[in-house]
Amino acid sequence: MTDTHSDVSTVSVTIDGVEIQAEAGELLIDAAERTGTYIPRFCYHSRMKPVGMCRMCLVEVDTGRGPALQPSCMIPVAEGMVVDTESDATKKAQDGVLEFLLINHPLDCPVCDKGGECPLQDQTMAYGPGESRFVEEKRHFEKPLPISDTVYLDRERCILCDRCTRFADDVAGDTLIHFMDRGNNTQVNTFPDEPFASYFSGNTVQICPVGALTAKPYRFKARPWDLEETVSTAWTDSVGSRVTVQSSRNRVVRLLGVDSDAVNWGWLSDKERFGFEALNADARLTSPLVRGGSDEDLTPTGWATALSRITEALADIDPARVGVVGGARLTNESQYAWTKLAKGVIGTDNVDAQLGDGLPAEVVLGLPRATIADACRPGGTVILLGPDPKEDLGALFLRLRHAVVNDGTTLIELTPARTGLSPIAAHSLHPKPGEVGQLAHALVAARGGTSIEAAGVSAGAIADAAKAISGPVTVVLGRASTAESADAVVDAALALGSIDRVGFLSALRRGNVHGALDAGMAPGLLPGRRTLTDAGPVVDAWGSVPAASGMDTAAMLSAAAGGSLDVLVLLGADPLADFPDRDLAQRALAEVGTVIAIETLANASTTGYADVVLPAAAPTESAGTFTNLEGRVSVSAQKVTPPGTARADWQIAAEIADRLGGDLGVDSVESIRAEMAAVSDVHAALTEEALAADPVDGVLLSGGSVPPPTASESLAPTNDAYSLRLVATRRMYDNGTMVQACPASAGLAAAVQVRLHPSDFAKLGVEAGTLVKIVSGKGELMAPIAVDPGVPMGSAVVPANAPDANANRLIDVTTPVTDVRVERA
């Protein structure tokens, strides 16, 4: 019966003699499971379109014309429907399906990686015939077949459920794996010489209902009954995907995606899924290191000696001459502890969790916030003013792609080059580097009827894009290129903020960077999105806060290079690789008096310049919470113990404070959360009860904001006829420390390549594939040249932090844009 008192129409359905209420249009298999009746299945997956391939979910359905076997994954519920999942006909059908599936499926469960958690195993026991009448030889294939660097295929185990192929085609958009051949020879495989090179290939392993697809990092590492697990949060980017962390013998061996309706839907990028390998690396820091002199190497020492060196460097120092860079790697609790140490004990406001490639905190926290669900709302509009989500924020890319392809969301790109979403974007506007602010102003003007050309984009293209904006609007906001200053993006964001019903979803990329901003790890900020002039309960709890706003990363490095900074603390930061201007970072590290690094793995900055290195616990080795890009807080659980004498970051902060004569007043992550809730209106909802009430979706924080900056139109200087404007974009796999420490991803970072618009080749007199020299006022690098129609004319796109050729060698952060010359090598 239809419920006239609800926004959702319901119908009455009888399942196995019990009447239930189901939502109109709901699939029978979902309605049955939601009300306690499990119908077996192989091909059906709740996050993909049903195809009715396996027929395992056949049940008897009577819609008034008599009972008939029908696939429950393809049948929407209807008023008065009667379903029998236990009838003789249903059991006979399920028995037959399983017998046919086992005709060619090898019975090698003891050696199969899926053994013990295999739906085919379980359903054969529960619904199968118990014996086989098939005595002929089963089919055989070469095994295993490495279809990518991380995924192995055992074709004889495949039951042709179509899950992997549907995920690749429909969810990820990477049509790299398909059914091939016909009849008894049908198999899943990749095209010749085209591996399954998808950023999301690990998802097919997780959703495979048999052992046909296995992951190299986990293959033959453990059995399900050997594993201990806990629900936690992925840490490699700011999406905050929910995961299950599984360990064996105090070692993390696998991460699986958890279906969080608010965040990742169970999907993970391979970088998130296999990132745990870096935490098991032999190169993990396990004890403190100190450097005896400028020419000496780092040598292991005890905690007492290392902490004494730090105390000596920080005691009686002018707070303005101390800087703290990094912190996005830390949990919320550790971020709060380090902020309290820096701003409440040491007294410096030179604290910045962003390494010069993000956006001002007042922009991220001051503009109206949107959630992932807001961005993916059917019928809405998404304006991408930021990086390529496929390269930077994998799980967000999958959510946005689903919204555009399946739910009628309109996507408009304002990016300096093509992205992974360009093939499905309604409009792709690629402005000249440094001029996206002008393009945004023109887009807003076009909505009012005034069409003009801007940033190299035609007036017609801008007008067409403006007409497509409808419904609620979500701006996905971040830095698309590290070769441009943030000013143009800020200008564009403020212009788009004038659109009705607009919200902003941050696309800052670094792990827990949003938790860092909420904890006050930015110049001029305090926990709870408070400013120094509005300290409120923070100053009451801490006793004091800095009087004046401090420096961001670029300013700190400039001060260090000029001799105005005595101590630089690196909290999981590698300025040489990650800061956009390598020359400035190198001069700063060389000139600063003392460099203190808190790290899990050594990097170029620590090995080359750190005077004291303290080993920190990794995300799976310390408890805490994580704040994702929409402000949603979830648990980051401890699963294993840290190696050697590594400690949680908050414990390190508390110990340093104690040695400096201060007292952070905390002795556990729970006590830190309690203090955060007491001093911060934003964190007031972050109680132990709230976290326990929804361990999957977490707690969405709200309230508290800082005034956004005032609008000021950005203007990029005109480049000469012989120069190209540099665009430095991020890639999923680069030369980063964590990526290179993962065997699954270490070899996936592509070599540097400079991409140009076809029209620029004639001016340069070169051909695709030619090795060229890219020269700027800061430096140069060598790279082959490639054609890309998605690059704006007059621009050169180079990947950031590519192996042996980091684009930050070319960039000058003191200029709005970076102009380069491309010369024959």
Side-chain angles (χ1 to χ4, degrees):
M1 152 177 4
T2 300
D3 182 3
T4 58
H5 301 289
S6 173
D7 292 333
V8 179
S9 297
T10 60
V11 295
S12 295
V13 179
T14 301
I15 300 179
D16 295 337
V18 178
E19 184 176 301
I20 66 164
Q21 297 297 310
E23 298 177 4
E26 186 177 14
L27 291 176
L28 174 56
I29 194 170
D30 290 332
E33 184 170 11
R34 183 173 51 79
T35 54
T37 301
Y38 180 80
I39 299 175
R41 79 293 299 265
F42 292 115
C43 70
Y44 178 72
H45 190 283
S46 60
R47 294 299 185 184
M48 295 189 289
K49 294 177 181 177
V51 289
M53 292 275 292
C54 70
R55 284 335 207 208
M56 190 63 202
C57 68
L58 287 171
V59 293
E60 276 199 311
V61 179
D62 186 353
T63 58
R65 295 177 292 180
L69 287 172
Q70 298 190 52
S72 58
C73 72
M74 301 291 290
I75 305 298
V77 293
E79 180 64 33
M81 178 182 284
V82 178
V83 181
D84 193 342
T85 70
E86 300 287 344
S87 69
D88 291 341
T90 297
K91 292 180 179 179
K92 180 65 176 175
Q94 294 168 346
D95 188 293
V97 168
L98 284 164
E99 186 175 14
F100 275 112
L101 288 178
L102 293 174
I103 282 177
N104 273 312
H105 190 86
L107 302 180
D108 61 349
C109 301
V111 298
C112 177
D113 237 20
K114 199 75 171 182
E117 56 183 7
C118 175
L120 180 59
Q121 234 181 3
D122 296 339
Q123 293 181 35
T124 297
M125 295 295 294
Y127 307 98
E131 62 182 17
S132 174
R133 293 174 287 177
F134 191 78
V135 296
E136 289 76 17
E137 183 72 11
K138 296 176 183 284
R139 66 178 182 175
H140 301 282
F141 292 102
E142 176 188 354
K143 59 177 289 185
L145 195 66
I147 59 175
S148 76
D149 290 332
T150 52
V151 177
Y152 286 179
L153 171 63
D154 290 292
R155 288 170 288 174
E156 74 276 17
R157 292 179 184 156
C158 177
I159 61 172
L160 306 180
C161 70
D162 200 27
R163 279 192 176 190
C164 60
T165 57
R166 275 184 292 152
F167 173 85
D169 292 351
D170 300 341
V171 179
D174 297 328
T175 54
L176 300 170
I177 185 168
H178 287 277
F179 286 133
M180 296 181 180
D181 298 330
R182 302 179 68 181
N184 188 57
N185 294 321
T186 304
Q187 59 177 290
V188 164
N189 210 331
T190 58
F191 294 108
D193 301 320
E194 291 191 31
F196 190 26
S198 170
Y199 290 161
F200 311 100
S201 62
N203 292 287
T204 63
V205 175
Q206 180 171 337
I207 64 177
C208 179
V210 291
L213 293 170
T214 53
K216 181 181 178 181
Y218 176 72
R219 190 176 170 91
F220 303 141
K221 292 294 193 301
R223 286 299 191 185
W225 50 84
D226 296 329
L227 301 176
E228 298 176 347
E229 65 180 37
T230 185
V231 175
S232 188
T233 305
W235 56 87
T236 55
D237 62 34
S238 62
V239 178
S241 298
R242 304 298 285 139
V243 297
T244 295
V245 180
Q246 298 180 331
S247 66
S248 176
R249 290 162 291 181
N250 198 41
R251 186 180 180 90
V252 176
V253 296
R254 184 167 64 169
L255 258 66
L256 298 176
V258 172
D259 193 340
S260 169
D261 190 66
V263 186
N264 60 310
W265 283 12
W267 309 132
L268 299 174
S269 69
D270 288 355
K271 188 175 181 180
E272 293 172 294
R273 184 178 299 274
F274 303 126
F276 71 88
E277 287 189 303
L279 311 185
N280 297 330
D282 294 336
R284 276 292 302 276
L285 295 171
T286 58
S287 64
L289 306 172
V290 296
R291 195 184 305 273
S294 59
D295 297 328
E296 295 183 16
D297 293 330
L298 290 166
T299 57
T301 188
W303 276 89
T305 300
L307 289 170
S308 295
R309 286 280 297 271
I310 294 173
T311 305
E312 292 171 7
L314 293 174
D316 301 321
I317 193 173
D318 179 358
R321 301 182 69 87
V322 178
V324 179
V325 173
R329 172 182 60 76
L330 281 56
T331 63
N332 291 332
E333 292 76 11
S334 290
Q335 289 167 345
Y336 179 85
W338 270 95
T339 304
K340 187 174 182 179
L341 167 63
K343 300 190 177 189
V345 176
I346 299 174
T348 180
D349 193 54
N350 302 328
V351 180
D352 189 8
Q354 303 186 71
L355 268 73
D357 60 357
L359 293 172
E362 58 268 24
V363 175
V364 180
L365 302 178
L367 294 173
R369 301 285 288 269
T371 64
I372 296 174
D374 292 334
C376 298
R377 184 184 292 114
T381 299
V382 171
I383 299 177
L384 178 58
L385 176 63
D388 184 349
K390 189 172 185 178
E391 300 288 348
D392 266 7
L393 305 165
L396 177 63
F397 164 79
L398 296 181
R399 290 292 309 273
L400 291 174
R401 187 181 186 280
H402 181 276
V404 174
V405 172
N406 298 284
D407 296 332
T409 300
T410 300
L411 173 65
I412 298 173
E413 291 185 320
L414 307 184
T415 57
R418 284 177 57 84
T419 74
L421 289 170
S422 293
I424 59 173
H427 299 276
S428 292
L429 309 182
H430 302 310
K432 295 178 180 178
E435 299 181 16
V436 69
Q438 300 168 38
L439 177 60
H441 281 283
L443 185 66
V444 173
R447 285 173 54 81
T450 303
S451 297
I452 57 172
E453 179 183 349
V457 181
S458 68
I462 295 173
D464 290 343
K467 292 175 184 176
I469 298 175
S470 63
V473 178
T474 301
V475 178
V476 179
L477 179 64
R479 287 273 291 282
S481 169
T482 58
E484 309 167 32
S485 75
D487 295 342
V489 178
V490 173
D491 182 19
L494 296 177
L496 296 175
S498 64
I499 298 175
D500 293 337
R501 294 195 294 166
V502 66
F504 291 82
L505 178 63
S506 171
L508 299 183
R509 58 184 293 272
R510 299 185 183 281
N512 195 20
V513 64
H514 298 90
L517 296 182
D518 284 345
M521 300 194 81
L525 285 185
L526 294 171
R529 305 172 191 168
R530 290 183 173 274
T531 62
L532 294 178
T533 56
D534 181 31
V538 177
V539 71
D540 295 334
W542 292 6
S544 65
V545 296
S549 184
M551 297 181 283
D552 63 8
T553 299
M556 279 188 269
L557 295 180
S558 296
S564 299
L565 205 68
D566 293 331
V567 178
L568 185 64
V569 180
L570 304 179
L571 281 178
D574 181 8
L576 287 179
D578 290 338
F579 185 69
D581 187 336
R582 181 184 177 89
D583 173 69
L584 175 58
Q586 193 162 18
R587 288 188 289 113
L589 292 171
E591 292 297 327
V592 72
T594 303
V595 177
I596 301 167
I598 318 298
E599 269 294 358
T600 56
L601 286 162
N603 55 51
S605 297
T606 58
T607 56
Y609 296 96
D611 298 289
V612 184
V613 181
L614 299 181
T620 59
E621 300 159 3
S622 59
T625 54
F626 181 105
T627 303
N628 81 343
L629 47 76
E630 59 184 347
R632 185 178 302 275
V633 177
S634 54
V635 170
S636 179
Q638 179 178 355
K639 189 66 206 68
V640 296
T641 55
T645 61
R647 300 180 184 178
D649 294 279
W650 69 267
Q651 293 175 326
I652 297 173
E655 181 68 20
I656 294 174
D658 182 66
R659 286 173 174 262
L660 292 174
D663 182 4
L664 296 189
V666 296
D667 55 14
S668 66
V669 292
E670 290 80 10
S671 66
I672 298 176
R673 281 200 291 269
E675 184 171 318
M676 291 168 65
V679 304
S680 164
D681 293 338
V682 172
H683 297 95
L686 196 61
T687 63
E688 303 304 315
E689 294 76 17
L691 288 172
D694 197 344
V696 174
D697 285 348
V699 180
L700 184 62
L701 300 182
S702 61
S705 65
V706 298
T710 56
S712 59
E713 189 172 355
S714 60
L715 294 174
T718 303
N719 58 334
D720 60 56
Y722 301 99
S723 296
L724 298 173
R725 192 149 286 171
L726 182 65
V727 177
T729 59
R730 294 285 184 181
R731 285 180 174 175
M732 178 75 74
Y733 300 116
D734 58 16
N735 203 41
T737 302
M738 298 294 283
V739 171
Q740 294 305 311
C742 291
S745 59
L748 300 181
V752 68
Q753 187 182 62
V754 55
R755 295 183 285 134
L756 305 181
H757 190 274
S759 66
D760 289 318
F761 275 75
K763 292 192 301 183
L764 296 171
V766 295
E767 297 179 350
T770 303
L771 187 67
V772 297
K773 180 163 60 175
I774 310 165
V775 183
S776 76
K778 279 283 188 173
E780 61 183 47
L781 57 83
M782 307 290 289
I785 198 167
V787 180
D788 187 349
V791 174
M793 290 185 292
S795 301
V797 177
V798 178
N801 205 9
D804 302 320
N806 196 329
N808 69 355
R809 299 178 185 177
L810 305 171
I811 300 170
D812 183 349
V813 295
T814 64
T815 60
V817 292
T818 297
D819 290 338
V820 297
R821 299 286 183 97
V822 177
E823 306 171 352
R824 286 183 176 274

